[in-house]
Amino acid sequence: MNAYKTVLVTGGAGYISSHATLALLQAGFDLVVLDNLCNASAESLRRVAQLSGRAPVFVQGDIRDRALLDHLLAQHWVQAVLHFAGPKAVGESLAQPLSYYSNNVGGTVNLCQAMAAASVFTLLFSSSATVYGDSATVSITEDQPLGQITNPYGRSKFMVEQLLGDIVASDKRWRVALLRYFNPVGAHESGQIGEDPNGIPNNLLPFVAQVAVGQSPELAVFGHDYPTLDGTGVSDYIHVVDLAEGHLAALKAIYSCPGMEVWSLGTGNGYSVLQLVRAFEAASGRHVPYRLAERRPGDVATCYAHPGKAAAELNWISKRDLHSIMRDAWRWQSQNPDGYRG
Ligand code: NAD
Ligand code: UD1
C-alpha cells in the first residue's frame, strides 16, 4: 500500500525522471508530469506509458509559472512532489548563471510557495554529489562538511538545499528529502528509454557511446596523472534504474519522517575513466578511441558514495553492476542512435 497516491513529477520527461516515472507508475502511483521540454521529448513519456501500461497526465509548462502550478496541485489532488526540473550542465552554468539561478533556485521557491498554498508538504529534491565539492575523504558520508563548489550549477543545488532546510525549520508540516545523486548512467533494460543529450554530451558515458557509434571521433580523457590505479579520475557510476528505485524507497520512507532527510544515492564503488571505457568496449564490441588530455577544472581524483545511510534508512542499495550498466547503455544507444528523434 502506498502512503501517497498522486505525485507531481517536475521535469518528468527527462533522463532520470523518465526512469523514476516508470518505477512509480509500476508501483501504482498516479502521476502528473510537468515539463517544459527544454531538454526532453514527450516521446519518453509515450514510451513510459507503453512499458507500464499506464499513462501519466502530462502538462507542458514551466515550474516558474505559479498559476499553472496552483491549477495542477489543486486539480489533481497532488500529495507529494518529485522535483527534477532544472538545467544541469556545468559549463553552460558558467556562461549563463542567471538562467541557472532562475530555474533552479527561483523555480524551487515558486514550487514550494505553490505547494504550501495547496497544503502539499512532501518534496523529494534532485540534488547532486557536486555539493560535496572537493571533499577531504573519498568515501563520502552525508554528514561531512560541504565543500568548495566551483560553478553556478553546483551552487544553485547547494542554495536549494539550504532554502529547503529553512522552510522545514519554519513549518513542521514539511517532509523533504535531499537526494544527492552520484553519476547516473545506463538505461532501462528494455532499450526504450535512456539518456538523449542535446548536442555534444558533457558527461562521460553519453560521450563514450557517441564515439562508439562514430558520431564523435575520439574521447578526451580529462586527466591521467591523478593518484588512482591508472591515473584517470575515479567516480561512482550508478545505474539509472537503481537510482529510480531509490526514489521509490525515499518516497515511502519520507512519509513517516517529518523534517528534512539527506540521502546519498550511489553504489559505494569507484571506477576510473579507463575502466569505464574498457567495460563499454566489452559490452558493445566496439572500439572507443581516446586521447589523454588535461585535467578538467573542478574534477576530483576519487569520489564515491558511502551508501550506508540509504541502506539502513531506505532499505535500498544499488543492485546493478558495471556490466549491466554498459549492456543497457549500449542497447539504448544502438536501438536509438538518434535518441527520441529516431
Ligand atoms: P534532464 O535534463 O534529462 O531532466 C531535467 C528535465 O527538466 C528535462 O526534461 C527538462 O526539459 C526539464 N526542465 C528544465 N527546466 C525546467 C523548468 N523550468 N520547468 C519545467 N521543466 C524543466 O536531466 P537529468 O540528468 O535527468 O537530471 C534531473 C535532475 O537531477 C536535475 O535536477 C539535475 O540537476 C539532477 N542531477 C543530475 C545528475 C546527472 O548526472 N544527470 C547528477 C546529479 C543531479
Ligand atoms: C559532472 C559535473 C557535476 C554534475 C554532473 C551531472 C563537473 C566537474 N561535474 O559530474 O557537477 O552534477 O556532471 O551533470 O563537471 N570525463 C572525461 N572525458 C569526458 C567527460 C568526462 O574524461 O569527455 C571524466 C571526468 O573528468 C570525470 C569522469 O569522466 O573524471 C566523470 O565525468 P562526468 O560524467 O562529467 O561526471 P562528473 O564529473 O561526476
Side-chain angles (χ1 to χ4, degrees):
M1 210 8 214
N2 298 320
Y4 300 107
K5 179 149 175 57
T6 305
V7 175
L8 171 66
V9 186
T10 74
Y15 169 47
I16 302 166
S17 57
S18 56
H19 293 81
T21 296
L22 177 58
L24 265 69
L25 286 170
Q26 288 172 332
F29 289 93
D30 294 330
L31 300 185
V32 181
V33 167
L34 173 66
D35 197 306
N36 65 7
L37 300 184
C38 70
N39 196 36
S41 156
E43 173 65 11
S44 65
L45 293 176
R46 199 191 62 74
R47 296 188 186 187
V48 163
Q50 210 168 41
L51 288 167
S52 65
R54 301 180 60 223
V57 173
F58 172 59
V59 177
Q60 185 172 352
D62 198 291
I63 53 166
R64 290 165 295 180
D65 182 342
R66 174 66 193 271
L68 177 61
L69 285 174
D70 288 343
H71 174 71
L72 287 182
L73 291 167
Q75 190 193 19
H76 297 284
W77 295 92
V78 169
Q79 293 152 330
V81 177
L82 264 61
H83 179 29
F84 294 92
K88 58 165 184 177
V90 171
E92 183 185 66
S93 80
L94 289 160
Q96 301 168 26
L98 287 176
S99 167
Y100 276 68
Y101 292 119
S102 167
N103 270 286
N104 289 343
V105 182
T108 305
V109 170
N110 198 47
L111 175 65
C112 291
Q113 285 173 327
M115 287 175 66
S119 293
V120 180
F121 290 102
T122 299
L123 178 73
L124 270 61
F125 174 60
S126 299
S127 189
S128 168
T130 194
V131 300
Y132 294 120
D134 195 356
S135 159
T137 54
V138 292
S139 174
I140 296 177
T141 53
E142 288 84 347
D143 58 359
Q144 74 168 51
L146 300 183
Q148 286 295 315
I149 302 169
T150 53
N151 57 77
Y153 164 71
R155 273 191 284 277
S156 72
K157 289 287 173 190
F158 181 57
M159 286 177 192
V160 171
E161 288 202 358
Q162 290 182 308
L163 80 85
L164 291 174
D166 288 339
I167 64 170
V168 166
S170 74
D171 186 333
K172 301 293 172 226
R173 289 174 292 178
W174 283 96
R175 288 151 204 266
V176 172
L178 305 180
L179 303 178
R180 294 179 182 153
Y181 311 155
F182 278 70
N183 292 57
V185 282
H188 189 260
E189 64 175 9
S190 63
Q192 288 294 301
I193 55 172
E195 186 163 15
D196 181 18
N198 264 337
I200 299 169
N202 300 306
N203 297 114
L204 180 61
L205 193 54
F207 199 90
V208 166
Q210 289 206 355
V211 173
V213 294
Q215 285 174 1
S216 299
E218 64 179 7
L219 169 75
V221 174
F222 298 141
H224 49 93
D225 54 356
Y226 286 114
T228 60
L229 74 167
D230 57 19
T232 66
V234 169
S235 306
D236 185 336
Y237 298 96
I238 178 168
H239 196 298
V240 67
V241 177
D242 280 329
L243 187 59
E245 290 170 357
H247 289 73
L248 203 54
L251 187 58
K252 286 180 180 158
I254 202 73
Y255 186 73
S256 41
C257 292
M260 188 160 86
E261 291 290 339
V262 185
W263 289 297
S264 283
L265 298 180
T267 67
N269 300 312
Y271 290 101
S272 75
V273 173
L274 291 182
Q275 283 180 312
L276 194 116
V277 168
R278 286 192 200 102
F280 188 89
E281 288 182 328
S284 65
R286 297 286 177 109
H287 177 51
V288 178
Y290 68 83
R291 71 184 160 82
L292 300 176
E294 291 298 298
R295 292 182 180 191
R296 183 175 65 177
D299 279 345
V300 298
T302 302
C303 158
Y304 47 86
H306 188 297
K309 186 168 186 281
E313 295 174 3
L314 303 181
N315 194 25
W316 169 89
I317 52 165
S318 68
K319 296 189 285 234
R320 293 161 181 86
D321 63 9
L322 193 62
H323 174 72
S324 312
I325 289 174
M326 297 307 160
R327 182 200 59 203
D328 295 339
W330 176 241
R331 188 183 291 114
W332 158 254
Q333 179 71 38
S334 51
Q335 289 181 9
N336 306 272
D338 297 316
Y340 291 116
R341 293 168 300 282

